[in-house]
Amino acid sequence: MSKQRVLTGITTSGAPHLGNYVGAIRPAVEASLSGEFDSFFFLADYHALIKCQDPDIVHQSTLEIAAAWLALGLDPETVTFYRQSDIPEIPELTWLLTCMTAKGLVNRAHAYKGAVQSNEENGDDADFGINMGLFSYPILMAADILMFNAHKIPVGRDQIQHIEMARDIAQRFNHHYGEHFVLPLAQVDDEMAVLQGLDGRKMSKSYGNTIPLFSSEKKLKKHINKIKTNLLEPGEPKNADDSTVFQIWQAFASAEQTAEMREAFASGIAWGEAKKQLFELINKQLDEPREKYNELIANPSDVEAILLQGAEKARSQSTELMSSLRQAVGLRRLV
Ligand code: TRP
């Protein structure tokens, strides 16, 4: 039997942050190194345009996120690593899928519903500030996944709905036009699905609460010091389970270190001390990759060459699938 195919992407709308590392890059690179899977990892730059319309940010973020993957051990020889916008078959497939997607399904997408709800709460028009990209985003994401017939999609809990929609859309397409797509499954790591950000909500570029993955040591320290805590004094016992400092600690520590920190919380470790230890833990793990990262950022042509090679690998599959899909839906030569 051939290997299960794993696919995941990161949106290129800002600097890579600890949440991207813990939630996507680290597990994906580990899985790819195990040799058990056929891995597809990509830079979701079409997705970036939905929320980020500053061309320089999209461009810079693409370099930074690519460099982060590579610095953290991704081997472009053993995986297929590419930039979404180098694969013109993806927007082409998006259209075929769009025409097979019930509007009612997309109405239920939580990113869109959330935007409508917050408009209503603010007394604005329901559609205020919502572009069609935000509305159709689950269909573009379905195209990312179905294009390469991926089986497993490692994502944070907040993305499960999108994978289920990709499955629904694939099913409808298969039912109507014949079996073309594998039905994908979300893979959620229960222990560490979503890392918390500075304010305790999910760490996300959209919330502006991220800790950058590869800033200087000084900046890393500064960000960690900004993590929200309660007002308990040194010596007062603290609850590890509702603490962002502890949650992030857990994402980087061994089981043993986590148990020790839990004890330290119970016996009243000062917030300043806990944050200092957190900084040291993270900094030690990022020290070496940081050097590699800085080197790659200084040599964008190396990164570009890797991405173009990846696109070539990816397109050897996407052009083939797309041509059979065009046949299947009736977009055929006349003779
Ligand atoms: N929407 C995902 C996120 O914001 C990124 C993404 C785009 C993705 N396309 C994907 C993830 C396909 C997995 C598979 O996190």
Side-chain angles (χ1 to χ4, degrees):
M1 221 186 83
S2 60
K3 288 179 186 175
Q4 287 266 306
R5 183 165 290 176
V6 173
L7 176 144
T8 196
I10 296 180
T11 305
T12 57
S13 53
H17 55 76
L18 295 188
N20 297 138
Y21 175 55
V22 170
I25 301 176
R26 189 175 61 189
V29 170
E30 273 170 15
S32 76
L33 294 177
S34 77
E36 257 177 82
F37 304 100
D38 179 15
S39 304
F40 279 62
F41 303 141
F42 70 99
L43 307 162
D45 56 349
Y46 281 131
H47 286 267
L49 302 183
I50 295 167
K51 281 192 200 150
C52 179
Q53 287 154 4
D54 180 331
D56 294 333
I57 293 180
V58 174
H59 182 239
Q60 179 65 16
S61 168
T62 303
L63 171 62
E64 290 178 355
I65 293 179
W69 277 104
L70 295 166
L72 290 161
L74 176 100
D75 175 4
E77 297 297 323
T78 59
V79 311
T80 305
F81 179 54
Y82 55 99
R83 171 172 47 203
Q84 185 186 29
S85 65
D86 283 335
I87 318 293
E89 294 74 27
I90 289 176
E92 200 178 347
L93 175 57
T94 301
W95 183 250
L96 302 194
L97 298 179
T98 298
C99 297
M100 269 286 130
T101 302
K103 177 168 178 284
L105 178 77
V106 185
N107 285 340
R108 291 194 290 275
H110 58 54
Y112 167 69
K113 261 175 61 177
V116 170
Q117 198 187 343
S118 89
N119 281 339
E120 281 164 355
E121 282 163 11
N122 297 333
D124 288 321
D125 185 84
D127 292 331
F128 177 75
I130 299 177
N131 61 41
M132 284 303 294
L134 178 70
F135 183 69
S136 304
Y137 160 123
I139 312 176
L140 177 58
M141 189 158 158
D144 293 332
I145 296 167
L146 303 179
M147 185 89 253
F148 297 105
N149 276 325
H151 304 93
K152 286 189 181 178
I153 318 298
V155 284
R157 221 175 283 285
D158 60 306
Q159 296 287 322
I160 296 175
Q161 187 195 32
H162 295 140
I163 314 303
E164 284 168 355
M165 288 184 165
R167 225 181 138 80
D168 282 354
I169 296 168
Q171 238 155 359
R172 181 147 160 183
F173 194 102
N174 284 349
H175 182 72
H176 191 84
Y177 289 117
E179 291 293 317
H180 293 277
F181 297 125
V182 165
L183 304 183
L185 277 175
Q187 192 179 32
V188 181
D189 180 344
D190 274 335
E191 284 187 14
M192 197 39 67
V194 177
L195 197 69
Q196 289 169 15
L198 297 176
D199 57 0
R201 293 187 291 173
K202 175 199 175 187
M203 188 179 290
S204 163
K205 283 165 284 209
S206 323
Y207 295 145
N209 65 357
T210 62
I211 301 178
L213 190 50
F214 291 123
S215 52
S216 64
E217 286 194 11
K218 223 172 116 189
K219 279 207 185 128
L220 177 61
K221 196 176 278 169
K222 228 172 102 184
H223 272 94
I224 289 175
N225 282 330
K226 279 196 287 197
I227 299 171
K228 203 168 129 193
T229 58
N230 57 31
L231 296 172
L232 292 173
E233 298 285 340
E236 289 185 85
K238 297 174 177 67
N239 181 0
D241 292 315
D242 67 9
S243 163
T244 301
V245 175
F246 184 79
Q247 199 243 2
I248 300 178
W249 174 270
Q250 196 170 17
F252 285 85
S254 65
E256 202 187 344
Q257 288 170 316
T258 299
E260 280 166 17
M261 187 53 89
R262 186 177 283 285
E263 294 260 296
F265 265 65
S267 41
I269 188 173
W271 286 121
E273 177 59 22
K275 286 178 172 179
K276 183 169 158 261
Q277 291 187 23
L278 178 62
F279 163 75
E280 279 158 11
L281 180 75
I282 296 179
N283 192 46
K284 200 148 70 189
Q285 289 179 34
L286 294 183
D287 211 25
E288 231 181 86
R290 186 189 289 126
E291 259 175 59
K292 181 104 201 285
Y293 175 83
N294 289 334
E295 214 176 284
L296 288 160
I297 295 291
N299 293 287
S301 57
D302 294 355
V303 180
E304 182 64 28
I306 290 171
L307 291 179
L308 290 181
Q309 250 177 27
E312 206 176 306
K313 250 202 277 185
R315 287 198 73 200
S316 72
Q317 307 205 20
S318 61
T319 51
E320 200 177 310
L321 178 64
M322 203 58 227
S323 98
S324 63
L325 294 175
R326 291 176 66 100
Q327 283 294 318
V329 302
L331 305 176
R332 302 176 190 146
R333 288 278 149 80
L334 294 180
V335 286

